[in-house]
């Protein structure tokens, strides 16, 4: 069989590597492979060996370093206080674009929110691959990616594809929301809304409920593809080469020549393979392909699922929520399908109280008494629109670098507001009121659900 080269180490690249090595194929992975600095690794290791109530205050401060939220939201997510996942050598000019590339070992899975759902058949009806052919791959991936979730209404729309999901109990706020929605289940379903527990790539049964999920789990329970990479490196037919930044590809006869440079020294690096699989992330992969085709100054459109944020105010509070032992990832999913708003699903991830909310709550309440009341009632709702109704991103490869520009989002903002107004009409059933005047609309790409520059269709690229 041919030898394969896989470029990148994010979830797509790692999934391909697992599938190929299981078939006995020789695989070499080329990756920039940045990782956490040694000082922070030592802190994480120290914390992982003890219980949360034994952690040193200075270690906690280091892990939270640089993550300072405001009333307008939070900056790019860090891992254990480090921004290394976004540290690249790429020269990128951003214009109203929130997406970012990653050179991290594990790619953007190092800093993701771990929420997972399969594609719904309606959402990929224009793909050349039937949904029935994709379903076995979901089960294959979930054989090495942990899944926490529940058998509930969401499963009817988006199957679990695993028989025994791990249990990750929601916070008391999350449980209360799910309980209230369950009482109005039939009415909500008639209105096109399904509510269920969040589906997360987390080893839930081992969770210590330390509340550090949004900074990085010291116990490594939130899945990142780097953890699978560690196992792959023990395989005799797998080889990993770090510090290799791929610039372009060239087909030479029956072989593929991969040309790049060393991340540390800048020296040229070359690798030859029978086949090359490109999984370096939406931005880097698009730039590599454009460089390989020598297509400069020709804008390419990347698809994106538009992200927006809405505060929720629960009718009834949960006392002392700020002192609760909990996980701070998404607690629940709300799925909406209403043809009068959007023919595709609109997805909402519901987050409960976490300390990153405090600046926004302070700006809203001010006084300490008001803060305590808000702590008990406040939740956050992160929404996503289908890419068919979202502004995209225009990526232009230039000789001197990359330009990434977000498209106009006014129509997506209008759709998002209509969706949240529908949630507001269900406030009595959800026992939660969306605060529409406080909605936030980050730049296109900020939700990091971006791709499709070289789509699975007859058209080679999405010309801007």
């Amino acid at each position: 069989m041919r030898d394969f080269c896989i470029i990148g180490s994010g979830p797509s690249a790692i999934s391909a590597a697992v599938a190929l090595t299981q078939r006995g194929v020789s695989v070499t992975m080329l990756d920039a492979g940045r990782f956490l600095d040694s000082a922070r690794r030592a802190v994480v290791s120290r914390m992982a060996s003890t219980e949360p109530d034994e952690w040193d205050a200075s270690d906690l401060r280091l892990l939270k370093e640089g993550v300072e939220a405001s009333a307008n939201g939070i900056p790019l997510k860090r891992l254990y206080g480090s921004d290394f996942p976004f540290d690249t050598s790429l020269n990128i000019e951003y214009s109203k674009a929130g997406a970012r590339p990653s050179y991290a070992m594990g790619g953007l899975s190092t800093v993701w929110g771990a929420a997972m759902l399969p594609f719904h058949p309606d959402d990929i009806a224009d793909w050349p691959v039937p949904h029935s052919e994709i379903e076995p791959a979901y089960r294959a991936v979930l054989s090495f990616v942990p899944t926490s979730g529940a058998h509930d209404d969401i499963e009817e729309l988006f199957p679990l594809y695993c028989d025994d999901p791990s249990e990750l109990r929601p916070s008391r706020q999350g449980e209360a929301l799910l309980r209230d929605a369950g009482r109005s289940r039939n009415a909500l379903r008639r209105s096109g809304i399904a509510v269920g527990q969040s589906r997360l790539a987390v080893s839930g049964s081992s969770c210590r409920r330390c509340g550090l999920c949004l900074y990085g789990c010291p116990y490594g329970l939130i899945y990142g593809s780097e953890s699978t990479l560690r196992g792959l490196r023990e395989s005799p037919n797998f080889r990993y080469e770090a510090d290799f930044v791929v610039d372009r590809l060239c087909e030479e006869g029956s072989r593929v020549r991969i040309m790049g440079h060393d991340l540390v020294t800048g020296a040229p690096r070359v690798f030859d393979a029978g086949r090359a699989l490109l999984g370096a992330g939406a931005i880097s992969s698009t730039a590599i392909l454009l460089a390989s085709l020598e297509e400069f100054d020709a804008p390419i459109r990347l698809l994106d699922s538009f992200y927006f944020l809405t505060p929720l105010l629960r009718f009834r509070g949960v006392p002392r929520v700020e002192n609760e032992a909990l996980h701070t990832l998404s607690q629940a999913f709300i799925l909406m399908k209403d043809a009068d708003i959007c023919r595709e699903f609109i997805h909402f991830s519901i987050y409960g109280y976490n300390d990153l909310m405090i600046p926004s709550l302070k700006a809203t309440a001010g006084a300490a008494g008001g803060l305590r009341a808000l702590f008990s009632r406040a939740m956050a709702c992160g929404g996503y629109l289908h890419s068919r109704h979202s502004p995209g991103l225009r990526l232009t490869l230039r000789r001197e670098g990359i330009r990434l520009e977000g498209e106009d989002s006014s129509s997506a903002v209008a759709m998002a507001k209509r969706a949240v107004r529908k949630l507001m009409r269900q406030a009595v059933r959800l026992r939660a009121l969306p605060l529409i005047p406080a909605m936030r609309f980050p730049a296109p790409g900020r939700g990091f659900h971006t791709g499709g520059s070289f789509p699975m269709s007859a058209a080679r690229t999405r010309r801007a």
Side-chain angles (χ1 to χ4, degrees):
M1 299 181 73
R2 290 184 179 274
D3 54 307
F4 276 76
C5 173
I6 297 177
I7 300 163
S9 62
S12 295
I14 287 295
S15 297
V18 170
L20 289 168
T21 54
Q22 286 178 346
R23 289 163 173 77
V25 178
S26 174
V27 174
T28 298
M29 179 169 283
L30 307 181
D31 190 32
R34 288 198 188 276
F35 50 86
L36 190 68
D37 62 86
S38 58
R40 292 179 194 274
R41 288 203 308 272
V43 169
V44 173
S45 178
R46 184 163 59 244
M47 294 174 70
S49 66
T50 57
E51 294 299 319
D53 58 4
E54 301 174 296
W55 288 342
D56 185 83
S58 62
D59 287 347
L60 276 171
R61 283 195 298 272
L62 185 69
L63 260 63
K64 295 183 176 184
E65 191 175 64
V67 184
E68 298 176 358
S70 69
N72 293 321
I74 61 174
L76 283 174
K77 189 177 178 183
R78 293 183 171 217
L79 182 65
Y80 306 126
S82 172
D83 63 356
F84 82 91
F86 302 103
D87 181 12
T88 74
S89 60
L90 293 171
N91 178 23
I92 303 182
E93 175 192 351
Y94 295 99
S95 175
K96 298 179 182 179
R100 297 291 185 271
S102 177
Y103 275 6
M105 185 185 298
L108 290 172
S109 73
T110 56
V111 286
W112 70 322
M116 293 196 305
L117 279 179
F119 289 113
H120 190 275
D122 293 349
D123 290 340
I124 57 172
D126 56 347
W127 285 20
V129 182
H131 184 263
S132 59
E133 290 187 16
I134 297 176
E135 287 186 296
Y138 290 136
R139 291 191 176 275
V141 167
L142 295 181
S143 69
F144 61 88
V145 175
T147 305
S148 67
H151 298 285
D152 53 27
D153 282 358
I154 290 179
E155 187 178 11
E156 297 177 19
L157 300 168
F158 296 88
L160 277 162
Y161 294 110
C162 68
D163 300 325
D164 188 23
S166 177
E167 181 181 357
L168 183 62
R169 183 169 60 84
S171 67
R172 288 182 294 146
Q173 280 183 316
E175 288 178 333
L177 174 68
L178 291 167
R179 189 165 53 247
D180 288 337
R183 293 191 185 104
S184 299
R185 172 184 181 272
N186 292 334
L188 288 169
R189 290 299 298 269
R190 284 194 298 272
S191 69
I193 293 174
V195 183
Q197 187 174 322
S198 56
R199 198 92 52 84
L200 302 171
V202 176
S203 300
S205 58
S206 302
C207 178
R208 311 291 182 90
R209 308 179 71 79
C210 68
L212 290 182
C213 309
L214 300 181
Y215 302 98
C217 176
Y219 299 105
L221 302 179
I222 301 172
Y223 178 78
S225 57
E226 186 271 337
S227 62
T228 304
L229 175 58
R230 286 198 299 269
L232 281 169
R233 294 175 77 169
E234 302 298 320
S235 171
N237 56 329
F238 179 85
R239 185 161 62 100
Y240 178 77
E241 289 204 22
D243 299 327
F244 197 129
V245 177
V246 174
D247 298 318
R248 60 192 181 94
L249 314 174
C250 179
E251 293 184 352
E252 298 183 352
S254 62
R255 307 288 290 175
V256 180
R257 171 152 290 192
I258 299 120
M259 290 160 283
H261 63 273
D262 190 279
L263 178 63
V264 178
T265 67
R269 295 182 69 172
V270 177
F271 188 85
D272 291 328
R275 290 285 185 270
L277 302 181
L278 185 53
I283 295 173
S284 293
S285 292
T286 301
I288 291 168
L289 284 171
L290 289 174
S292 303
L293 296 168
E294 296 189 344
E295 294 198 17
F296 297 94
D297 303 312
I300 297 295
R301 187 170 191 259
L302 278 72
L303 301 182
D304 181 62
S305 292
F306 185 63
Y307 171 71
F308 55 96
L309 188 66
T310 309
L312 292 178
L313 196 62
R314 294 277 294 153
F315 288 5
R316 177 173 293 180
V318 173
R320 298 179 300 279
V321 66
E322 67 271 25
N323 298 320
E324 181 181 351
L326 43 66
H327 81 80
T328 53
L329 295 171
S330 174
Q331 304 290 324
F333 290 164
I334 298 177
L335 300 171
M336 176 188 296
K337 196 168 189 181
D338 183 337
D340 292 335
I341 300 173
C342 177
R343 292 187 179 276
E344 288 78 25
F345 281 98
I346 297 175
H347 176 93
F348 299 93
S349 290
I350 311 300
Y351 290 79
Y353 169 82
N354 62 75
D355 59 2
L356 291 175
M357 291 182 175
I358 293 175
S360 181
L361 295 176
K362 282 183 176 178
T364 304
L371 267 180
R372 293 192 193 97
L374 278 179
F375 282 171
S376 70
R377 297 170 183 264
M379 301 188 82
C381 175
Y384 290 89
L385 301 181
H386 194 282
S387 61
R388 293 184 189 127
H389 308 284
S390 300
L393 297 159
R394 296 168 185 261
L395 187 151
T396 305
L397 180 65
R398 298 170 171 173
R399 300 283 180 180
E400 66 276 13
I402 297 169
R403 176 176 170 80
L404 194 65
E405 179 181 8
E407 296 176 344
D408 177 71
S409 61
S410 55
S411 63
V413 167
M415 179 176 284
K417 287 182 177 179
R418 290 197 299 273
V420 173
R421 280 195 290 269
K422 181 180 176 71
L423 281 186
M424 187 170 65
R425 292 193 292 272
Q426 302 298 325
V428 172
R429 291 166 178 156
L430 295 169
R431 310 296 293 171
L433 180 68
L435 303 180
I436 294 178
M439 288 181 73
R440 297 289 182 266
F441 305 99
R446 186 62 175 82
F448 289 91
H449 288 198
T450 305
S453 55
F454 287 77
M456 292 189 292
S457 68
R460 189 176 67 177
T461 61
R462 296 191 189 276
R463 290 293 184 194

